[in-house]
Every structure is written in C-alpha cells, then in structure tokens.
Amino acid sequence: MVKVPDRRLLWKLWTATMADFLPLMITLSMLDAADDGLSWSAVADVSLEPAICAFICFPVALYLYGALVRRARGTGIPLTAEVLAATQRHTFPPDRAARLRADLCTSERAWDVLNGEELHFRWRPFRGRRSVRGTVTFDDSSGEAHMEIHTDGNLTSGSGLRRTSAFVALCQIARLVSR
C-alpha cells in the first residue's frame, strides 16, 4: 500500500510562495496607484493583483510539492506538512544504523564530521556552500540510530526548496544508507 503524501503540505507551500512574492506585489500595487492616481480603475487594478499573484504562485507550489515527493520516494520518510520545520528527526533501524556512521564519514556532501559516541556533522543538501547541522546518537540497547538535522536561518528564510533543506538532507542521507 502506497502512502499518500499529506495535502496540507501543498497548501503550506502555496502560502509560503505567495509570502515570498508579497514584497513584489506590494511594490507593483504602489507603483500602479502612484501612476494612475486615486481612481476606480487604480483600485480595480490593485484589488486584482493578489488574485493574479495567487494564480501564478500555484504552479510554483505544485513544482515544489512534486520535487519533495520525488525526494521522499523510497526513503521510508513520511511527507507531511512538518517538512517545512527547521528541525527534522528520524530513527534508522538497526540494519541501516550500522552503515550510517561509515557512510557519513566517507560522503562527499558531509564535512566537519566529529566521530565519537555521538556523530556531529555538516551536510550540504544543495550545490551551494550552505549547509545543515546534523547529530546522530546511537542506542546500544536497540541498535537504532536517532538523527536530528537542524537548518540554519540562512536556509529557512530562502524560497523554494531551500526552505526544506533539513528534509532534503534527511532524504539524501536515507538514500545513502539504503544503497
């Protein structure tokens, strides 16, 4: 049985995309009002711009939603509305936890790996220089590995997939370990 992704995520991505375009929309509205003066046609134009912005932002939100569905596919990580959170947590089963330490230490995307009882690392989820911080704790009694990934403020304030960088990094690590 295939799990259906949470549709609330699409709504949150749509509102976040509209919020990204809000400064541009306000600037265009102010310019229209300044050019046309205070008239009924200017009021009609200004009141129509939020609807146009919402219409334009929906395909962008659909693209982001599809990109997140593709990244989460096959990883066992549920795609919920909490994808936009700055901190992502996941527990790896004992069979994958054994490979996690070795794969993180040898990955090209990971650096500043401090290997001890807890594993601390930085992970680059995208091609740029920006990264997320991660911590892995190993439970000796169950053999599981508990991972926590934190996004810095420079990624959560961005638009598009950068806003979900902790989730993207978690999916990349889950794929790395499952190979």
Side-chain angles (χ1 to χ4, degrees):
M1 182 174 162
V2 177
K3 285 182 99 174
V4 176
D6 189 1
R7 300 293 182 202
R8 291 180 301 152
L9 176 60
L10 181 59
W11 173 258
K12 285 188 171 192
L13 287 171
W14 189 25
T15 56
T17 305
M18 285 191 295
D20 290 341
F21 283 103
L22 190 63
L24 178 63
M25 185 177 64
I26 290 172
T27 303
L28 289 175
S29 298
M30 303 258 307
L31 289 174
D32 283 347
D35 287 344
D36 295 341
L38 194 54
S39 66
W40 285 111
S41 64
V43 171
D45 288 345
V46 168
S47 63
L48 190 60
E49 286 174 2
I52 293 171
C53 180
F55 182 73
I56 291 172
C57 290
F58 190 69
V60 175
L62 277 175
Y63 169 77
L64 294 174
Y65 183 76
L68 290 173
V69 167
R70 281 190 306 276
R71 289 182 191 273
R73 187 177 297 139
T75 61
I77 301 170
L79 187 63
T80 63
E82 285 73 33
V83 165
L84 295 171
T87 301
Q88 298 289 320
R89 292 175 181 85
H90 186 67
T91 301
F92 289 95
D95 59 333
R96 291 187 180 179
R99 291 191 53 190
L100 184 61
R101 186 184 303 265
D103 287 346
L104 279 175
C105 290
T106 59
S107 175
E108 295 174 2
R109 290 184 179 264
W111 78 94
D112 284 345
V113 179
L114 300 174
N115 198 350
E117 282 189 33
E118 283 189 351
L119 186 65
H120 298 279
F121 62 94
R122 306 265 320 157
W123 184 271
R124 187 177 303 116
F126 304 113
R127 292 185 181 153
R129 295 178 300 153
R130 298 182 182 197
S131 64
V132 296
R133 291 178 290 115
T135 305
V136 180
T137 56
F138 297 94
D139 187 4
D140 293 332
S141 62
S142 66
E144 296 177 333
H146 304 283
M147 179 177 287
E148 192 169 294
I149 297 180
H150 303 280
T151 303
D152 295 335
N154 60 359
L155 286 170
T156 56
S157 62
S159 61
L161 282 177
R162 287 191 317 166
R163 189 182 311 260
T164 62
S165 59
F167 181 76
V168 170
L170 183 62
C171 290
Q172 289 170 345
I173 293 169
R175 281 194 197 287
L176 177 72
V177 173
S178 67
R179 285 194 268 158

